[in-house]
Amino acid sequence: MAEQLSKLRPDRDLQCYFQRPSAAAALSGASATGFTVSGSWRQQFDWTVVEWNRDNVFEHPSLRNLPDGDLSGVRLSYLETRVNCIPMDSTLYPTVDWPYLRIWATAGAAETLYKVPLKSYASAVGSYTAPTVMFELQGTVTAGDYVELAWLDQHFNYLMTGSDTLASAMRALATAITASQATSGVTAAANGAQITLTYLGMPGTNGNRIGVYGTVHGAGTESWSPGAALFSGGLSPAQWQVSLDFSNLRDINGALVPTSNVRKMRWTWAADLQSGNFTRSEFSVAVSEWTVGGSNLLYSVAGPGSRRIEDDAPDVHYTGNWSESRGNFSGGSIRLTTTPGAGLSCTYQANGPHWLYLGTRRADGGGQVTIRVDSGAPATLGLQLPGEDVLVRIPLGQFPGGSHAVSAVHSGANGTSLYFDFLEIAYPTTSLPEFAAMPTTTLATDWDTDHSIALPAERTAWLIQKLGFSGRANHYAGALWFYELWRPGQQYGSCTVTFAGAPEFGKYTQVSLGPTSIQHLNLIGDTASSIAKCFEYLINAGSTGVWAGASGAVLTITSRTMGTAGNGMSIPVSTNSSVFTAQTSGTLNGGTDGNWRTDTSALPRMNRAARDWNKAFFAALKGYGIDIAAAFSMELQHGDDTQSAALAQRYPNGDPVWLNTPALQTNFGPQSTAFWQQAYLDMADLMSSAGLRPYLQFGEVQWWYFAAASGMPFYDGYTTGTFQAAHGRPMAVIASEHADPAQYPDECAFLPSLIGAFTNAIMAFVRQSHSDARFEVLYPPDVNDTALNQIINFPKGAWTPAALNCLKTENFTYTGNRNLDEAQQSIELPMELGFGCAQSSHLVGIGEYTTPWDKERLLALGANLDSVVLFALDQFCLVGYGLPLDQSQRRAVFLGGN
């Protein structure tokens, strides 16, 4: 039976996004019955979302579901377990939308965002444990003394009598507290001089935020141990059962959510509230027993005979001012007009009843388009979508076979955008097509793109396999998100309040956090120090914007927002007294931003999201019988470019080498080597744990190819110092990649030796743990096409057929220049260097649809290489290249660069 797609299936229909750059999150372990979203939190307001979107853009057009936002017949249930996330039952104010399932739905003309409180549709699996705190009254009894315990706005005291003991006082105090539990939220039990309070005011872990402090008034011969403490030990259920009937969901205002035309939905999880300055933590949300029932669950796809009329098709005629852009659009291009009245028209022939879709782009600044099909009534569509930028297919209607005429006119305001990508004539079917396997061809993946990092690992692997690509896969770990981060130089803004004197009994002391006032009724035993402690507890009981700490009579309030963004909140204080005073520094200040940097000392180097996703990806590919090589380059988006970090390649004037990725190009010194050794080992560990023999790629492990104004990028401290020590003189300044290597014989012998030493060190390090690990080099002849670069970027003594399992070439420049002669030379280079066909591979760039990339692919196939890699999955799917690909194993015939 042909495979089908169904709504809300985790491994086919969901994706994940996260707060950037501070968080990292990914989906793994996805199947029809569940998924895990996991990663790292690095600041208090980090979040991740799992999204369902009607306007799916990820799959190849042959596998991409037609837009269907009717969820009104869907019933969904699942079990959820969170670790280091704000709990389902938290009472905290939602600074991000973690309590809700957000639904963007249209009823009538306008789209509305609905927030459905998930806890209203959830039941706890397991029981609660209430938090407790124990105090002991110590010292000796003095008649007339007051002993008191206080929390939140509650306080209970006892007046000592001459006949009292410490134990009798605790029994009396416990009785009073328990008798008022309806208002105090606390029960108490005495045991000798000890009293144990149990907090019932908020469920489970929520109560662990509540603090209690004790006072003594009078002679003071009694004392409390401890003087103040938090409730602890409160537990909420670890699992929650969620049941959602999409025909009967209500939002936070009680409104029934219309679900017959939903554009997208998002589940949100956020970093659990920490008690002080945020400490980086790993998190996970495990969702199991995911069950989708009800009606209208199957998607349709564009079936046999369906086609797209692309923006550059000769059938499309334009009037007015239009411009073309090329990139990851259907067919590789898209047209834009911002001129009212500009339009297009098209006539097409259909073989039978079909749906017609407009492929366009919705974004901020989107305009309005009026469309007419045949003699039907014109339909006006709004393309404005605040805060988003998405490619969409808008249904224009269902039409019979025959000839049809379509016209579209910009009918919005001047300067607003109308994009035309394609018209799609779709013959819907619920059956997915099957494609013949291509045993030596694959689609590369890049974890920096949403086709990897946003999708469940299992969905990415399924896409590759389903499209028929079964050659050895090529996965790039990326340069942007795989590592851990820290933020050196960052400081939180803070404010101090210093209390002095004796609080006046019965008056109120007030501390304001911006517009929010917190007040405390001064108790009979209060002191300046107890007032400071009281406000610490009051603030920390529920504030999500700041946290507080007391030291003696000094209260310090600290922003939870990092850096300068946490400055500025005013902290006014009032004691309503002339004998009890408070001095405040006035506002939160002193916050400094610092810079997010790769944490080169983190173990493991790869963050939780990257580890979980990659392991799941490897396991899924293994299940399909597909081998894979995993690659790192020398690039780090958040690499530390300071001289002290000693990571960067540098130009002669000392400037670090920053690429337009954007990323720092790291060097071959010991600090860089130590970082990358562990990163490669981490990846090998993941491959091995997924049941694969590790296969690692040195992906463009090179000196940067091009000079800056001051020269080539060889002048970091390690490189220049090592050369000086070896040759007794400074390295010569090489001004350009076009320099004559004969003028620099020592430098040209030395520079490639550093690359060779670097890769040798990594291979040796990895093989200490994985003796069977395989390695390949990805080498680009095109950017190394000068005499200098050919020498300095290929360490011939280290990169040999005996040392490497494969030499892979790539040549995006040759492809872009449409020069198949040079591409052929690139394909043959490994064999010229002694690598057999089984140790040779070639990677073809497919990003520009007008290039002869498919001819280059055929040239590589004709060379009988180990594998031919198309870069990359996202471009193949977004452009929508046709399948099946020609698999001729002959040498392609070509004329020059045509």
Side-chain angles (χ1 to χ4, degrees):
M1 179 178 176
E3 187 173 356
Q4 297 176 318
L5 298 175
S6 58
K7 294 175 183 176
L8 298 179
R9 177 170 166 164
D11 57 346
R12 300 288 185 270
D13 203 27
L14 300 180
Q15 46 271 347
C16 168
Y17 303 101
F18 55 87
Q19 170 82 334
R20 299 185 179 189
S22 52
L27 283 165
S28 62
S31 68
T33 60
F35 61 87
T36 295
V37 57
S38 58
S40 295
W41 305 133
R42 300 169 184 131
Q43 58 101 2
Q44 185 59 77
F45 303 107
D46 275 345
W47 52 262
T48 186
V49 299
V50 167
E51 179 184 277
W52 172 88
N53 199 307
R54 175 193 67 196
D55 300 308
N56 170 30
V57 298
F58 292 106
E59 273 70 30
H60 186 271
S62 62
L63 303 177
R64 191 179 307 169
N65 58 278
L66 297 173
D68 183 353
D70 186 0
L71 303 180
S72 59
V74 173
R75 295 189 303 274
L76 169 66
S77 65
Y78 58 89
L79 277 174
E80 181 191 298
T81 304
R82 306 181 186 188
V83 177
N84 283 334
C85 301
I86 295 178
M88 174 79 77
D89 65 339
S90 176
T91 58
L92 290 170
Y93 177 80
T95 51
V96 297
D97 286 322
W98 57 264
Y100 311 120
L101 170 62
R102 287 176 290 166
I103 301 177
W104 286 258
T106 299
E111 181 179 89
T112 300
L113 169 58
Y114 297 89
K115 297 182 179 182
V116 176
L118 282 168
K119 189 172 181 297
S120 299
Y121 298 90
S123 57
V125 179
S127 58
Y128 283 93
T129 299
T132 62
V133 65
M134 190 271 286
F135 288 85
E136 183 175 3
L137 188 62
Q138 299 178 339
T140 58
V141 172
T142 298
D145 280 0
Y146 283 93
V147 294
E148 189 164 33
L149 293 173
W151 59 92
L152 298 177
D153 60 350
Q154 301 294 309
H155 62 97
F156 291 84
N157 59 38
Y158 178 73
L159 178 63
M160 293 290 196
T161 68
S163 61
D164 269 323
T165 64
L166 298 176
S168 67
M170 290 303 92
R171 287 195 298 271
L173 191 59
T175 299
I177 292 170
T178 300
S180 301
Q181 64 176 292
T183 55
S184 71
V186 171
T187 62
N191 180 14
Q194 296 178 342
I195 185 171
T196 298
L197 308 182
T198 300
Y199 189 72
L200 305 175
M202 291 186 287
T205 56
N206 292 286
N208 295 336
R209 299 193 305 270
I210 307 304
V212 182
Y213 74 97
T215 66
V216 175
H217 176 71
T221 57
E222 307 88 359
S223 64
W224 291 101
S225 179
L230 291 169
F231 282 96
S232 64
L235 295 175
S236 294
Q239 277 194 328
W240 291 80
Q241 175 72 55
V242 180
S243 299
L244 302 168
D245 179 348
F246 282 84
S247 69
N248 190 28
L249 296 178
R250 295 192 177 271
D251 73 358
I252 54 176
N253 299 312
L256 185 66
V257 180
T259 54
S260 61
N261 189 6
V262 177
R263 182 170 66 86
K264 71 176 182 179
M265 301 189 297
R266 282 187 163 187
W267 287 261
T268 305
W269 296 274
D272 202 2
L273 191 72
Q274 295 188 2
S275 59
N277 289 341
F278 196 83
T279 300
R280 184 175 70 206
S281 63
E282 295 184 348
F283 76 91
S284 66
V285 180
V287 174
S288 61
E289 299 184 24
W290 180 278
T291 305
V292 183
S295 59
N296 192 25
L297 301 182
L298 287 181
Y299 282 124
S300 293
V301 297
S306 300
R307 72 184 195 277
R308 288 184 175 183
I309 302 172
E310 302 290 354
D311 67 290
D312 59 352
D315 298 327
V316 181
H317 305 283
Y318 294 93
T319 60
N321 296 320
W322 291 80
S323 60
E324 180 193 37
S325 296
R326 293 182 181 177
N328 289 335
F329 309 107
S330 181
S333 62
I334 197 169
R335 303 292 171 107
L336 165 66
T337 183
T338 58
T339 305
L344 63 93
S345 60
C346 175
T347 300
Y348 71 91
Q349 189 78 21
N351 295 329
H354 62 281
W355 275 89
L356 182 65
Y357 293 89
L358 170 68
T360 185
R361 185 176 185 175
R362 299 189 64 196
D364 265 333
Q368 189 171 272
V369 60
T370 298
I371 296 183
R372 186 169 187 172
V373 181
D374 299 330
S375 59
T380 298
L381 306 172
L383 302 177
Q384 167 77 356
L385 194 59
E388 299 188 46
D389 186 350
V390 293
L391 297 171
V392 298
R393 285 181 290 180
I394 298 175
L396 302 180
Q398 191 171 14
F399 300 95
S403 180
H404 297 279
V406 183
S407 64
V409 177
H410 187 308
S411 55
N414 185 47
T416 59
S417 299
L418 165 60
Y419 288 92
F420 175 67
D421 198 1
F422 59 87
L423 288 171
E424 183 169 27
I425 298 99
Y427 303 98
T429 177
T430 58
S431 298
L432 297 185
E434 298 294 332
F435 298 104
M438 293 173 274
T440 59
T441 306
T442 190
L443 292 171
T445 50
D446 179 349
W447 210 60
D448 289 340
T449 68
D450 282 346
H451 273 71
S452 292
I453 195 171
L455 299 187
E458 292 78 8
R459 184 173 171 187
T460 302
W462 173 79
L463 258 176
I464 294 170
Q465 177 272 336
K466 189 66 178 176
L467 292 170
F469 294 94
S470 56
R472 177 165 60 86
N474 190 128
H475 175 59
Y476 177 42
L480 307 182
W481 306 115
F482 75 85
Y483 41 78
E484 267 303 352
L485 288 178
W486 70 308
R487 200 173 184 182
Q490 192 279 142
Q491 297 289 331
Y492 290 95
S494 64
C495 174
T496 59
V497 179
T498 303
F499 295 101
E504 293 189 62
F505 176 48
K507 289 190 173 181
Y508 283 94
T509 301
Q510 181 173 288
V511 175
S512 295
L513 308 175
T516 303
S517 294
I518 301 172
Q519 66 178 15
H520 168 70
L521 176 66
N522 297 343
L523 306 179
I524 194 169
D526 268 331
T527 63
S529 293
S530 72
I531 292 288
K533 179 58 72 173
C534 171
F535 278 101
E536 172 193 327
Y537 284 163
L538 289 173
I539 290 170
N540 292 343
S543 175
T544 54
V546 298
W547 66 274
S551 177
V554 179
L555 176 69
T556 300
I557 301 170
T558 303
S559 176
R560 295 186 186 274
T561 301
M562 282 184 154
T564 56
N567 292 338
M569 179 189 287
S570 62
I571 311 291
V573 181
S574 172
T575 63
N576 297 297
S577 171
S578 59
V579 296
F580 178 55
T581 62
Q583 295 293 322
T584 173
S585 56
T587 62
L588 297 180
N589 62 82
T592 57
D593 289 330
N595 294 292
W596 287 109
R597 295 296 189 209
T598 304
D599 186 348
T600 56
S601 64
L603 286 175
R605 299 285 193 260
M606 296 176 67
N607 63 48
R608 173 72 181 274
R611 299 195 310 272
D612 289 357
W613 191 95
N614 279 275
K615 181 178 177 180
F617 184 53
F618 300 149
L621 287 175
K622 183 177 187 296
Y624 292 127
I626 298 175
D627 197 9
I628 182 170
F632 292 102
S633 65
M634 299 299 289
E635 300 177 34
L636 295 173
Q637 177 183 203
H638 299 96
D640 189 340
D641 64 0
T642 62
Q643 291 280 2
S644 59
L647 286 176
Q649 292 186 22
R650 294 188 180 276
Y651 299 109
N653 67 354
D655 287 348
V657 179
W658 280 98
L659 313 182
N660 62 5
T661 313
L664 180 74
Q665 182 81 348
T666 58
N667 61 35
F668 302 103
Q671 290 87 348
S672 177
T673 301
F675 172 80
W676 288 111
Q677 281 178 318
Q678 186 63 48
Y680 280 87
L681 178 59
D682 290 348
M683 190 68 83
D685 288 343
L686 296 172
M687 301 185 93
S688 180
S689 64
L692 293 172
R693 179 185 172 194
Y695 204 145
L696 302 171
Q697 180 192 107
F698 297 113
E700 293 195 40
V701 173
Q702 305 269 270
W703 294 107
W704 183 239
Y705 312 103
F706 309 111
S710 64
M712 291 294 281
F714 312 140
Y715 300 92
D716 62 276
Y718 173 77
T719 301
T720 56
T722 304
F723 184 89
Q724 173 88 37
H727 295 278
R729 64 173 178 84
M731 277 182 64
V733 173
I734 302 177
S736 164
E737 65 270 23
H738 300 288
D740 181 1
Q743 297 182 19
Y744 309 99
D746 293 338
E747 285 80 1
C748 287
F750 171 72
L751 291 169
S753 74
L754 293 189
I755 299 178
F758 177 85
T759 56
N760 284 342
I762 289 173
M763 288 191 284
F765 187 78
V766 170
R767 284 175 173 151
Q768 290 174 11
S769 301
H770 302 280
S771 59
D772 62 343
R774 298 168 290 173
F775 289 88
E776 73 174 8
V777 163
L778 175 63
Y779 177 76
D782 55 341
V783 286
N784 282 311
D785 63 354
T786 67
L788 177 73
N789 282 4
Q790 287 174 5
I791 293 172
I792 60 102
N793 267 334
F794 199 100
K796 290 186 177 180
W799 291 357
T800 67
L804 298 173
N805 295 88
C806 185
L807 177 61
K808 180 177 290 179
T809 54
E810 65 174 1
N811 45 251
F812 289 9
T813 305
Y814 298 159
T815 310
N817 291 341
R818 295 152 176 81
N819 193 323
L820 289 175
D821 293 313
E822 291 184 317
Q824 179 76 46
Q825 294 170 14
S826 176
I827 292 166
E828 294 175 350
L829 178 63
M831 284 78 84
E832 293 175 2
L833 295 173
F835 290 83
C837 294
Q839 282 185 278
S840 303
S841 178
H842 187 64
L843 186 147
V844 183
I846 64 172
E848 168 57 71
Y849 78 103
T850 65
T851 65
W853 67 263
D854 198 43
K855 292 182 179 180
E856 183 178 331
R857 178 187 66 84
L858 288 172
L859 290 174
L861 281 177
N864 295 313
L865 305 182
D866 164 72
S867 61
V868 178
V869 182
L870 305 183
F871 193 90
L873 170 67
D874 56 328
Q875 294 160 334
F876 194 89
C877 291
L878 291 168
V879 175
Y881 289 118
L883 285 170
L885 299 176
D886 183 1
Q887 289 297 291
S888 302
Q889 292 295 309
R890 67 185 186 279
R891 287 188 176 270
V893 176
F894 64 95
L895 296 173
N898 294 328

PDB file of all heavy atoms in Angstrom, residues 495-501 528 532 551-556 573 575 580-585:
ATOM      1  N   CYS A 495      20.134  46.599  41.828  1.00  0.00           N
ATOM      2  CA  CYS A 495      19.863  47.749  42.680  1.00  0.00           C
ATOM      3  C   CYS A 495      19.951  47.293  44.128  1.00  0.00           C
ATOM      4  O   CYS A 495      19.545  46.169  44.457  1.00  0.00           O
ATOM      5  CB  CYS A 495      18.467  48.300  42.378  1.00  0.00           C
ATOM      6  SG  CYS A 495      17.910  49.635  43.475  1.00  0.00           S
ATOM      7  N   THR A 496      20.493  48.125  44.993  1.00  0.00           N
ATOM      8  CA  THR A 496      20.564  47.794  46.414  1.00  0.00           C
ATOM      9  C   THR A 496      19.641  48.693  47.222  1.00  0.00           C
ATOM     10  O   THR A 496      19.452  49.870  46.896  1.00  0.00           O
ATOM     11  CB  THR A 496      21.990  47.925  46.953  1.00  0.00           C
ATOM     12  OG1 THR A 496      22.459  49.263  46.757  1.00  0.00           O
ATOM     13  CG2 THR A 496      22.919  46.951  46.261  1.00  0.00           C
ATOM     14  N   VAL A 497      19.058  48.103  48.242  1.00  0.00           N
ATOM     15  CA  VAL A 497      18.237  48.837  49.208  1.00  0.00           C
ATOM     16  C   VAL A 497      18.814  48.541  50.589  1.00  0.00           C
ATOM     17  O   VAL A 497      18.901  47.367  50.987  1.00  0.00           O
ATOM     18  CB  VAL A 497      16.762  48.390  49.145  1.00  0.00           C
ATOM     19  CG1 VAL A 497      15.938  49.158  50.172  1.00  0.00           C
ATOM     20  CG2 VAL A 497      16.198  48.565  47.736  1.00  0.00           C
ATOM     21  N   THR A 498      19.219  49.583  51.284  1.00  0.00           N
ATOM     22  CA  THR A 498      19.808  49.424  52.617  1.00  0.00           C
ATOM     23  C   THR A 498      18.841  49.959  53.662  1.00  0.00           C
ATOM     24  O   THR A 498      18.508  51.156  53.670  1.00  0.00           O
ATOM     25  CB  THR A 498      21.150  50.167  52.722  1.00  0.00           C
ATOM     26  OG1 THR A 498      22.033  49.682  51.700  1.00  0.00           O
ATOM     27  CG2 THR A 498      21.785  49.945  54.089  1.00  0.00           C
ATOM     28  N   PHE A 499      18.363  49.069  54.521  1.00  0.00           N
ATOM     29  CA  PHE A 499      17.439  49.453  55.582  1.00  0.00           C
ATOM     30  C   PHE A 499      18.235  49.800  56.840  1.00  0.00           C
ATOM     31  O   PHE A 499      19.283  49.190  57.117  1.00  0.00           O
ATOM     32  CB  PHE A 499      16.465  48.318  55.889  1.00  0.00           C
ATOM     33  CG  PHE A 499      15.542  47.980  54.748  1.00  0.00           C
ATOM     34  CD1 PHE A 499      15.786  46.883  53.930  1.00  0.00           C
ATOM     35  CD2 PHE A 499      14.432  48.766  54.477  1.00  0.00           C
ATOM     36  CE1 PHE A 499      14.948  46.569  52.878  1.00  0.00           C
ATOM     37  CE2 PHE A 499      13.584  48.460  53.430  1.00  0.00           C
ATOM     38  CZ  PHE A 499      13.835  47.360  52.624  1.00  0.00           C
ATOM     39  N   ALA A 500      17.732  50.756  57.596  1.00  0.00           N
ATOM     40  CA  ALA A 500      18.395  51.156  58.844  1.00  0.00           C
ATOM     41  C   ALA A 500      17.354  51.626  59.847  1.00  0.00           C
ATOM     42  O   ALA A 500      16.297  52.151  59.490  1.00  0.00           O
ATOM     43  CB  ALA A 500      19.413  52.270  58.577  1.00  0.00           C
ATOM     44  N   GLY A 501      17.659  51.440  61.135  1.00  0.00           N
ATOM     45  CA  GLY A 501      16.742  51.837  62.197  1.00  0.00           C
ATOM     46  C   GLY A 501      15.804  50.714  62.574  1.00  0.00           C
ATOM     47  O   GLY A 501      15.977  49.559  62.167  1.00  0.00           O
ATOM     48  N   ALA A 528      15.623  45.641  60.818  1.00  0.00           N
ATOM     49  CA  ALA A 528      16.047  46.018  59.467  1.00  0.00           C
ATOM     50  C   ALA A 528      16.448  44.776  58.669  1.00  0.00           C
ATOM     51  O   ALA A 528      16.138  44.650  57.482  1.00  0.00           O
ATOM     52  CB  ALA A 528      17.201  47.013  59.542  1.00  0.00           C
ATOM     53  N   ALA A 532      14.632  43.095  55.235  1.00  0.00           N
ATOM     54  CA  ALA A 532      15.350  42.764  53.999  1.00  0.00           C
ATOM     55  C   ALA A 532      15.076  41.324  53.591  1.00  0.00           C
ATOM     56  O   ALA A 532      14.823  41.024  52.413  1.00  0.00           O
ATOM     57  CB  ALA A 532      16.847  42.989  54.193  1.00  0.00           C
ATOM     58  N   SER A 551      21.428  40.329  52.557  1.00  0.00           N
ATOM     59  CA  SER A 551      22.614  40.113  53.388  1.00  0.00           C
ATOM     60  C   SER A 551      22.546  41.123  54.512  1.00  0.00           C
ATOM     61  O   SER A 551      22.784  42.318  54.305  1.00  0.00           O
ATOM     62  CB  SER A 551      23.892  40.306  52.566  1.00  0.00           C
ATOM     63  OG  SER A 551      25.035  40.159  53.385  1.00  0.00           O
ATOM     64  N   GLY A 552      22.179  40.649  55.707  1.00  0.00           N
ATOM     65  CA  GLY A 552      21.942  41.586  56.796  1.00  0.00           C
ATOM     66  C   GLY A 552      20.791  42.491  56.421  1.00  0.00           C
ATOM     67  O   GLY A 552      19.731  42.033  55.994  1.00  0.00           O
ATOM     68  N   ALA A 553      21.002  43.796  56.556  1.00  0.00           N
ATOM     69  CA  ALA A 553      19.945  44.765  56.267  1.00  0.00           C
ATOM     70  C   ALA A 553      19.989  45.268  54.828  1.00  0.00           C
ATOM     71  O   ALA A 553      19.283  46.225  54.492  1.00  0.00           O
ATOM     72  CB  ALA A 553      20.056  45.938  57.231  1.00  0.00           C
ATOM     73  N   VAL A 554      20.807  44.657  53.995  1.00  0.00           N
ATOM     74  CA  VAL A 554      20.941  45.103  52.606  1.00  0.00           C
ATOM     75  C   VAL A 554      20.218  44.119  51.685  1.00  0.00           C
ATOM     76  O   VAL A 554      20.513  42.916  51.676  1.00  0.00           O
ATOM     77  CB  VAL A 554      22.415  45.222  52.189  1.00  0.00           C
ATOM     78  CG1 VAL A 554      22.517  45.656  50.728  1.00  0.00           C
ATOM     79  CG2 VAL A 554      23.145  46.209  53.091  1.00  0.00           C
ATOM     80  N   LEU A 555      19.275  44.646  50.938  1.00  0.00           N
ATOM     81  CA  LEU A 555      18.529  43.868  49.945  1.00  0.00           C
ATOM     82  C   LEU A 555      19.072  44.207  48.563  1.00  0.00           C
ATOM     83  O   LEU A 555      19.116  45.387  48.189  1.00  0.00           O
ATOM     84  CB  LEU A 555      17.039  44.217  50.017  1.00  0.00           C
ATOM     85  CG  LEU A 555      16.117  43.571  48.972  1.00  0.00           C
ATOM     86  CD1 LEU A 555      15.993  42.075  49.228  1.00  0.00           C
ATOM     87  CD2 LEU A 555      14.740  44.243  48.988  1.00  0.00           C
ATOM     88  N   THR A 556      19.500  43.195  47.819  1.00  0.00           N
ATOM     89  CA  THR A 556      19.968  43.405  46.448  1.00  0.00           C
ATOM     90  C   THR A 556      18.955  42.782  45.493  1.00  0.00           C
ATOM     91  O   THR A 556      18.616  41.603  45.612  1.00  0.00           O
ATOM     92  CB  THR A 556      21.352  42.777  46.227  1.00  0.00           C
ATOM     93  OG1 THR A 556      22.289  43.380  47.133  1.00  0.00           O
ATOM     94  CG2 THR A 556      21.819  43.011  44.798  1.00  0.00           C
ATOM     95  N   VAL A 573      11.376  52.933  47.213  1.00  0.00           N
ATOM     96  CA  VAL A 573      11.117  52.283  48.501  1.00  0.00           C
ATOM     97  C   VAL A 573      10.506  53.306  49.441  1.00  0.00           C
ATOM     98  O   VAL A 573      10.931  54.470  49.490  1.00  0.00           O
ATOM     99  CB  VAL A 573      12.417  51.723  49.110  1.00  0.00           C
ATOM    100  CG1 VAL A 573      12.128  51.029  50.444  1.00  0.00           C
ATOM    101  CG2 VAL A 573      13.093  50.756  48.147  1.00  0.00           C
ATOM    102  N   THR A 575       9.185  53.626  53.630  1.00  0.00           N
ATOM    103  CA  THR A 575       9.043  53.000  54.950  1.00  0.00           C
ATOM    104  C   THR A 575       7.953  53.646  55.780  1.00  0.00           C
ATOM    105  O   THR A 575       7.620  53.143  56.860  1.00  0.00           O
ATOM    106  CB  THR A 575      10.364  53.104  55.727  1.00  0.00           C
ATOM    107  OG1 THR A 575      10.669  54.485  55.954  1.00  0.00           O
ATOM    108  CG2 THR A 575      11.505  52.434  54.966  1.00  0.00           C
ATOM    109  N   PHE A 580      12.758  54.577  60.777  1.00  0.00           N
ATOM    110  CA  PHE A 580      13.171  53.412  59.988  1.00  0.00           C
ATOM    111  C   PHE A 580      13.318  53.881  58.550  1.00  0.00           C
ATOM    112  O   PHE A 580      12.360  54.364  57.935  1.00  0.00           O
ATOM    113  CB  PHE A 580      12.129  52.302  60.088  1.00  0.00           C
ATOM    114  CG  PHE A 580      12.449  51.076  59.257  1.00  0.00           C
ATOM    115  CD1 PHE A 580      13.666  50.420  59.400  1.00  0.00           C
ATOM    116  CD2 PHE A 580      11.535  50.589  58.327  1.00  0.00           C
ATOM    117  CE1 PHE A 580      13.954  49.300  58.637  1.00  0.00           C
ATOM    118  CE2 PHE A 580      11.813  49.468  57.566  1.00  0.00           C
ATOM    119  CZ  PHE A 580      13.033  48.821  57.721  1.00  0.00           C
ATOM    120  N   THR A 581      14.502  53.805  57.976  1.00  0.00           N
ATOM    121  CA  THR A 581      14.789  54.391  56.676  1.00  0.00           C
ATOM    122  C   THR A 581      15.282  53.340  55.695  1.00  0.00           C
ATOM    123  O   THR A 581      15.696  52.245  56.081  1.00  0.00           O
ATOM    124  CB  THR A 581      15.854  55.492  56.793  1.00  0.00           C
ATOM    125  OG1 THR A 581      17.069  54.908  57.283  1.00  0.00           O
ATOM    126  CG2 THR A 581      15.386  56.595  57.748  1.00  0.00           C
ATOM    127  N   ALA A 582      15.250  53.723  54.437  1.00  0.00           N
ATOM    128  CA  ALA A 582      15.754  52.861  53.366  1.00  0.00           C
ATOM    129  C   ALA A 582      16.460  53.734  52.338  1.00  0.00           C
ATOM    130  O   ALA A 582      15.892  54.708  51.848  1.00  0.00           O
ATOM    131  CB  ALA A 582      14.622  52.084  52.715  1.00  0.00           C
ATOM    132  N   GLN A 583      17.680  53.380  52.042  1.00  0.00           N
ATOM    133  CA  GLN A 583      18.443  54.045  50.996  1.00  0.00           C
ATOM    134  C   GLN A 583      18.523  53.112  49.790  1.00  0.00           C
ATOM    135  O   GLN A 583      18.921  51.960  49.924  1.00  0.00           O
ATOM    136  CB  GLN A 583      19.851  54.393  51.482  1.00  0.00           C
ATOM    137  CG  GLN A 583      19.882  55.415  52.613  1.00  0.00           C
ATOM    138  CD  GLN A 583      19.406  56.786  52.154  1.00  0.00           C
ATOM    139  OE1 GLN A 583      19.694  57.204  51.039  1.00  0.00           O
ATOM    140  NE2 GLN A 583      18.678  57.483  53.025  1.00  0.00           N
ATOM    141  N   THR A 584      18.128  53.615  48.616  1.00  0.00           N
ATOM    142  CA  THR A 584      18.129  52.785  47.413  1.00  0.00           C
ATOM    143  C   THR A 584      19.011  53.401  46.341  1.00  0.00           C
ATOM    144  O   THR A 584      19.112  54.629  46.246  1.00  0.00           O
ATOM    145  CB  THR A 584      16.702  52.598  46.865  1.00  0.00           C
ATOM    146  OG1 THR A 584      16.761  51.917  45.620  1.00  0.00           O
ATOM    147  CG2 THR A 584      15.995  53.933  46.661  1.00  0.00           C
ATOM    148  N   SER A 585      19.634  52.556  45.554  1.00  0.00           N
ATOM    149  CA  SER A 585      20.425  53.070  44.436  1.00  0.00           C
ATOM    150  C   SER A 585      19.538  53.495  43.275  1.00  0.00           C
ATOM    151  O   SER A 585      20.026  53.975  42.261  1.00  0.00           O
ATOM    152  CB  SER A 585      21.444  52.022  43.965  1.00  0.00           C
ATOM    153  OG  SER A 585      20.814  50.809  43.620  1.00  0.00           O
TER     154      SER A 585
END
